[in-house]
Structures are given as structure tokens and as C-alpha cells.
Amino acid sequence: MSIFTHIEASLSGLRDEKYALSQKKIIPEPEASRFLGVRTPDLRRLAKELQKREDTGDFLSALPHSSFEENQLHAFMIADEKDFSKCLALTEAFLPYIDNWATCDQFSPKVFAKHRDELLPCIRRWIASDRTYTVRSGVCMLMKHFLGDSFRREYADMAAELRSGEYYINMVRAWYFATALASNYDGVLPYIEEKRLDVWTHNKTIQKAVESFRITAEQKQYLRTLRIKGE
């Protein structure tokens, strides 16, 4: 049985029409007909099963895929690749085909954590892309791998200087700065105090930070005073 037949049969057996309808409501970007309604834990298990096959490359090279779930499988399979160079090449090939926030945000190759220095130039290039979800992926990886002890102001500058009219880009920028406030408050606060962000992202950052359990009550109280009124 080819890997394509295996995937088709597996997804068909796992699909749930009611779940597909709920997905269409919260993930509006892909065409509605592309949702099969397979839950994420089932997709992760299937991805691990497929990794054991010798013909995984056939599937990973068959882009674009026809369903949201196949894109999810693709993302989860790349995420488990242990060889950095191979993982990076697969990532570069896949990024242009990510077409929704869910696949983008759940795409997180594990091996990248061990190769931050090599990953950083790639993140810079992805953030400079004209593709919405390539940019969003870059910011997501900046958030995952370059906060905490790895934080540098120059990394935050990458997200601060990014300007876009795309909702899903600005939302991830707000997510980045809210998360950075939780992990590196003193280093990130000046971006808010100095109004380094566009107004929408500035206010959304404060909103998300105030909703975080990782921000202290005192910090939340001060952040509320920094909101730009009228927006």
C-alpha cells in the first residue's frame, strides 16, 4: 500500500463531520471543503506511524496537499525530523504552502532548539517574506526559541519593526510581545512605553499581557495605563 493510500484510508476512518464544521468556524482561511474533521491527537499519532515508513519522502514532496489534515500531518512529520539540515530543507519547502494560523502555530520542529545560531538567519529571512504565514512562522519561532535566557533586544526589534496590514501577522506580533513581557519584562517594557509598535498591536499586546497568568497584578495595572486611547 502506498503512503498516499495509507493516509487516505486512515483519514477517512478518523473523520468527524461535526468536528469539521467547528474547525471551519475558527480556521477561516482554507476552503471549507478541505476540512475532513480529524482531531489533532489522532493526526499526531498517524504522523508518528508514517515516520516509520520508507516512502515518507513521497508524501513530503507532494505539495500542495488537498486537505487541511494532510498539511497538519506534513507539519507534524517535519517536526519530528532529527537531522537539522534535512529538517530545515523540509521546512523551507513547506512554508509557502501553509495557509492558515492553526498549521502555522502548531508547526514546531524540535531540532531547532539545538541549532539556534543557525536558525536565526532563517528567521530573519522568513520575517522579511511577503507570505503571511511564512512571516507568522518566523515570529512564532522567534517567540519559541529566543525568549528567556536567549532574549536580546535585537530579536525584539525584528518583531517591532515589522509592519503589515495582515491581521494574522499583527496578532502574532502582539502574542510575541505579550509573551516576552511575561518572560523578559524589563527588557521588553520599553517597546510599550516608547510606543514602538503600531497602535493596534500595541493595544492588543497590553490586552493579551493583562490576560496572562504570568504577569503580576502590579505589572498589569501599569500596563493598563499605557494603553493608547481612542483605538
Side-chain angles (χ1 to χ4, degrees), residues 180-196:
L181 281 168
S183 62
N184 302 90
Y185 184 81
D186 292 337
V188 175
L189 185 61
Y191 289 86
I192 309 303
E193 292 178 321
E194 298 167 9
K195 297 181 175 61
R196 294 278 304 278

Side-chain angles (χ1 to χ4, degrees), residues 68-119:
F68 168 78
E69 284 76 8
E70 287 174 321
N71 270 346
Q72 291 288 87
L73 281 177
H74 196 125
F76 296 151
M77 290 169 72
I78 295 177
D80 284 337
E81 174 57 53
K82 295 180 174 58
D83 181 270
F84 174 73
S85 295
K86 183 176 180 180
C87 185
L88 183 59
L90 290 170
T91 295
E92 296 276 16
F94 182 53
L95 286 179
Y97 296 96
I98 297 179
D99 61 359
N100 67 90
W101 65 264
T103 301
C104 177
D105 296 2
Q106 291 180 324
F107 178 49
S108 183
K110 300 180 182 68
V111 73
F112 284 178
K114 299 179 180 179
H115 296 269
R116 288 188 174 91
D117 289 345
E118 297 135 291
L119 180 64

Side-chain angles (χ1 to χ4, degrees), residues 209-228:
V210 168
E211 293 170 352
S212 173
F213 293 111
R214 299 171 60 198
I215 303 289
T216 69
E218 293 77 11
Q219 290 169 343
K220 291 178 182 181
Q221 183 176 3
Y222 178 57
L223 288 169
R224 289 188 181 99
T225 70
L226 299 178
R227 179 178 169 80
I228 299 175

Side-chain angles (χ1 to χ4, degrees), residues 11-186:
L11 293 179
S12 179
L14 293 167
R15 67 187 305 172
D16 179 333
E17 291 296 335
K18 289 184 178 179
Y19 184 61
L21 289 173
S22 69
Q23 284 184 300
K24 294 171 189 177
K25 294 178 181 178
I26 63 172
I27 309 173
E29 299 97 319
E31 296 178 11
S33 61
R34 293 185 58 205
F35 288 97
L36 303 177
V38 181
R39 298 175 187 278
T40 297
D42 291 326
L43 290 170
R44 290 190 184 278
R45 281 192 289 270
L46 179 56
K48 289 188 178 298
E49 178 184 322
L50 295 172
Q51 289 281 47
K52 300 175 184 178
R53 296 179 60 107
E54 296 183 355
D55 56 352
T56 56
D58 294 343
F59 174 70
L60 295 177
S61 62
L63 289 163
H65 298 304
S66 61
S67 71
F68 168 78
E69 284 76 8
E70 287 174 321
N71 270 346
Q72 291 288 87
L73 281 177
H74 196 125
F76 296 151
M77 290 169 72
I78 295 177
D80 284 337
E81 174 57 53
K82 295 180 174 58
D83 181 270
F84 174 73
S85 295
K86 183 176 180 180
C87 185
L88 183 59
L90 290 170
T91 295
E92 296 276 16
F94 182 53
L95 286 179
Y97 296 96
I98 297 179
D99 61 359
N100 67 90
W101 65 264
T103 301
C104 177
D105 296 2
Q106 291 180 324
F107 178 49
S108 183
K110 300 180 182 68
V111 73
F112 284 178
K114 299 179 180 179
H115 296 269
R116 288 188 174 91
D117 289 345
E118 297 135 291
L119 180 64
L120 189 59
C122 301
I123 290 177
R124 291 186 187 278
R125 179 161 40 81
W126 296 334
I127 287 177
S129 171
D130 60 357
R131 295 179 180 273
T132 296
Y133 293 103
T134 298
V135 176
R136 185 174 171 110
S137 291
V139 178
C140 282
M141 292 183 193
L142 192 66
M143 178 167 51
K144 182 175 180 62
H145 299 294
F146 294 93
L147 292 181
D149 292 341
S150 299
F151 175 78
R152 301 289 185 275
R153 288 287 296 268
E154 64 186 275
Y155 305 153
D157 286 344
M158 294 164 61
E161 293 166 4
L162 176 59
R163 288 293 183 269
S164 173
E166 292 284 346
Y167 171 83
Y168 288 102
I169 290 177
N170 289 329
M171 182 58 83
V172 79
R173 291 173 65 227
W175 182 18
Y176 168 84
F177 280 102
T179 303
L181 281 168
S183 62
N184 302 90
Y185 184 81
D186 292 337

